[in-house]
Amino acid sequence: MTKANNFQRIRELNYLQKAVLASALIERMLPNYGLFSEATGFGDEVILRNALNVCWEKILLPKSKIDLEKQVEKIEPNVPELADFDMFGTYPAIDAATSLLSLMHGLLAQDEQEFVNVSKISQATVARFIEYQMTVEGGVADNKAVREHPLMQYEIEVLGELIDFVEAMGRITAENVKALKKHVLADGQTNIGLAL
């Protein structure tokens, strides 16, 4: 499954399917934020966790009186500034928080492009992690090397599987969402291969 195929397939999903897919991808990214927060003492993973739970709820109950703007206000101060930390983990933490903000802005504005952005951010996180690893090991991280790296291949594969799962869901129900959440965390690792 090539990258272009996955993004093309995402664009063909309907609004709710895109929202659910984006939420599932964030489930895989959020623990990266938790690890960063633990290591640095910055930010509160619980705030992000709660906000993601609220997003799932909003997707399942679109007419509910959930105040997403209030959630956005809670998250913004928890986004780390790159300049403040001298460690690689800052990048995946920023990506996780940014993805969550994208999801919320997408739900607020009913803007599907925000949901598509989440899958792009997730893949960019993986690419940056591979480049970082290769540089540390003294290798050359060109596009081809990054694309062919097992972790990137795995990210593309997981995205393809999640699209399959979402396409097969039909109506978005609480049961379906529960199954999707279970499925997305079944491999026990984040998008950059860290153990949950």
Side-chain angles (χ1 to χ4, degrees):
M1 192 70 48
T2 64
K3 196 159 72 176
N5 271 351
N6 276 347
F7 290 129
Q8 190 48 50
R9 290 177 66 202
I10 292 169
R11 281 189 208 91
E12 287 162 10
L13 297 173
N14 68 34
Y15 173 83
L16 276 179
Q17 287 173 320
K18 285 187 182 93
V20 163
L21 179 68
S23 303
L25 288 168
I26 295 168
E27 289 286 350
R28 292 182 79 229
M29 298 169 79
L30 202 54
N32 295 328
Y33 184 93
L35 292 166
F36 165 81
S37 186
E38 226 171 86
T40 61
F42 174 87
D44 186 347
E45 187 187 6
V46 174
I47 290 174
L48 276 74
R49 174 74 265 167
N50 292 342
L52 183 53
N53 291 343
V54 165
C55 290
W56 281 113
E57 206 177 311
K58 185 72 179 168
I59 292 165
L60 284 169
L61 306 164
K63 291 187 169 47
S64 61
K65 296 277 179 266
I66 291 170
D67 189 351
L68 283 174
E69 276 162 18
K70 195 178 224 111
Q71 295 295 329
V72 169
E73 283 166 24
K74 285 182 186 174
I75 286 182
E76 283 173 343
N78 283 280
V79 182
E81 289 290 332
L82 208 47
D84 295 346
F85 301 95
D86 187 22
M87 62 183 284
F88 178 79
T90 315
Y91 290 102
I94 290 171
D95 290 346
T98 305
S99 291
L100 190 49
L101 288 169
S102 271
L103 174 65
M104 287 194 270
H105 289 307
L107 290 169
L108 279 165
Q110 298 206 324
D111 178 357
E112 298 183 13
Q113 188 51 49
E114 294 281 6
F115 304 147
V116 178
N117 290 346
V118 171
S119 49
K120 292 183 175 175
I121 294 170
S122 181
Q123 222 161 59
T125 307
V126 176
R128 191 182 286 123
F129 182 66
I130 294 166
E131 284 165 9
Y132 170 74
Q133 273 190 323
M134 286 178 152
T135 309
V136 167
E137 292 159 6
V140 178
D142 60 10
N143 280 343
K144 186 175 187 292
V146 170
R147 219 179 17 254
E148 289 171 0
H149 192 280
L151 198 59
M152 182 56 84
Q153 288 299 314
Y154 187 64
E155 169 75 1
I156 292 167
E157 200 178 297
V158 167
L159 181 55
E161 277 176 24
L162 289 175
I163 297 167
D164 292 342
F165 197 99
V166 169
E167 283 174 345
M169 274 167 105
R171 256 185 66 240
I172 309 287
T173 64
E175 282 306 301
N176 284 341
V177 161
K178 210 151 113 197
L180 176 65
K181 280 186 189 175
K182 206 173 150 186
H183 177 77
V184 79
L185 299 173
D187 67 355
Q189 60 182 16
T190 73
N191 64 334
I192 55 173
L194 302 177
L196 295 174

